[in-house]
Amino acid sequence: MREAVSYLVASLSLGWIAVWASENLFWTTPAPDLRLMDLGFMWLAYSVAAGAALSAVIWSGLRGWRAAFLGGALLGFQIEGAVVGTMYEAFPLQLVWTPLAWHALISGLCVLGGGLALARGALARQVAGLLALGLFGAVWGLYWPLEGKPLAGPAGLFVYLGLAGFGAGVALGVLSRLPILRWGRWWLWLAPGVMAALWVVGTVLSPSPLRLAGPGMVAVTVWAMGRLGQGGGAVFGAPAPWRRCLLVVLAPALTALLVVPGWAAFGGVGVNGPVALGTGAAGLGLWLWLFWRAARG
């Protein structure tokens, strides 16, 4: 029972980190009709997808940044390919954007893996990393006025980005204090089963051969994880100091401080293309490199 609770806590913590990194940081400004109930549903969806990715990490025994990146890739393929169908809309470009370019690279590798690593390292390095993330968020946020959507002011952004970012810091601290999660429990199949069922329902409602790419990308990624992993479960490392984990809020605070005057000074800026190309190349390149390493054995 204790293992099941730890797995549930890990899934919820990973889910909230993903909500902040893959939703709040991505969209920068909240939708005018966003409700707490909507955030709750997003947290639930991301937690189930994160739980499925965590089950794959536990099975493979993958460690460190590779677990964060490939686990993030699985999260992205499931969110974009099973919960929603955006992965099939601009095929094959959206196999990379956003599953590999954002969910794997930004949410998984930078926010989760980097967040835990920086919280255990030198303070100056952590501050520099968080300031870089905050600056990236502000530059990316300059795109959204071009969409014609209402933009939040400083107070709204500090709540939307900062409060959720504080929760992500809490989640990092919780994850670092969980015990090793090991394979061999029946409930580790529940989250992957739910995601598979969602994909089947979506395929029945909108049948298309392109939808086979979803489970295909999941299968290839899980295979690579199994080849690269060591077996023996998943572990998030030694406990990170709470004050260092909560320092994550520095990144969204900087984004909020910079992006509002940026909107006033520049309006909308077409940064979406360069960001998508840069992160897409990095995410796809890293995924292919890990696949190559797995194929070499």
Side-chain angles (χ1 to χ4, degrees):
M1 183 63 180
R2 182 176 297 178
E3 293 180 53
V5 171
S6 296
Y7 174 80
L8 177 62
V9 170
S11 299
L12 290 171
S13 298
L14 291 168
W16 186 258
I17 292 170
V19 166
W20 177 72
S22 294
E23 293 290 329
N24 295 38
L25 185 62
F26 180 84
W27 294 103
T28 308
T29 185
D33 57 349
L34 182 67
R35 302 168 298 172
L36 286 176
M37 183 180 297
D38 299 324
L39 281 174
F41 280 122
M42 281 192 288
W43 188 13
L44 176 62
Y46 271 98
S47 295
V48 176
L54 177 59
S55 290
V57 172
I58 294 171
W59 166 77
S60 67
L62 202 60
R63 299 284 196 271
W65 68 267
R66 296 185 300 179
F69 177 79
L70 291 178
L74 287 181
L75 173 81
F77 294 139
Q78 293 173 108
I79 290 294
E80 306 297 339
V83 178
V84 297
T86 54
M87 201 168 79
Y88 317 114
E89 291 177 357
F91 190 86
L93 295 178
Q94 289 195 198
L95 293 178
V96 176
W97 179 265
T98 57
L100 295 176
W102 199 282
H103 295 283
L105 188 69
I106 305 300
S107 303
L109 184 61
C110 294
V111 176
L112 174 60
L116 284 172
L118 290 174
R120 297 186 179 107
L123 178 60
R125 186 177 300 173
Q126 183 186 22
V127 171
L130 292 173
L131 291 178
L133 179 62
L135 180 60
F136 168 79
V139 171
W140 167 250
L142 292 176
Y143 164 72
W144 292 112
L146 296 179
E147 292 286 318
K149 61 188 299 186
L151 304 174
L157 286 186
F158 274 110
V159 172
Y160 176 71
L161 294 175
L163 191 58
F166 181 84
V170 172
L172 287 175
V174 170
L175 286 173
S176 74
R177 286 162 172 78
L178 292 177
I180 294 177
L181 301 172
R182 301 189 183 280
W183 187 250
R185 300 292 185 267
W186 63 269
W187 34 262
L188 290 171
W189 290 97
L190 291 178
V194 170
M195 299 310 299
L198 287 174
W199 178 84
V200 169
V201 170
T203 302
V204 170
L205 294 176
S206 301
S208 169
L210 294 180
R211 292 188 62 88
L212 294 174
M217 295 298 285
V218 168
V220 170
T221 303
V222 171
W223 172 84
M225 293 170 73
R227 294 280 292 178
L228 296 170
Q230 305 169 7
V235 60
F236 295 97
W242 279 110
R243 64 185 182 279
R244 299 289 298 277
C245 292
L246 298 180
L247 197 60
V248 167
V249 78
L250 183 62
L254 181 63
T255 297
L257 282 172
L258 293 179
V259 77
V260 174
W263 289 333
F266 307 111
V269 182
V271 299
N272 56 320
V275 170
L277 288 173
T279 58
L284 178 61
L286 188 53
W287 186 82
L288 289 174
W289 181 74
L290 289 172
F291 175 81
W292 175 72
R293 289 291 301 271
R296 288 185 61 193

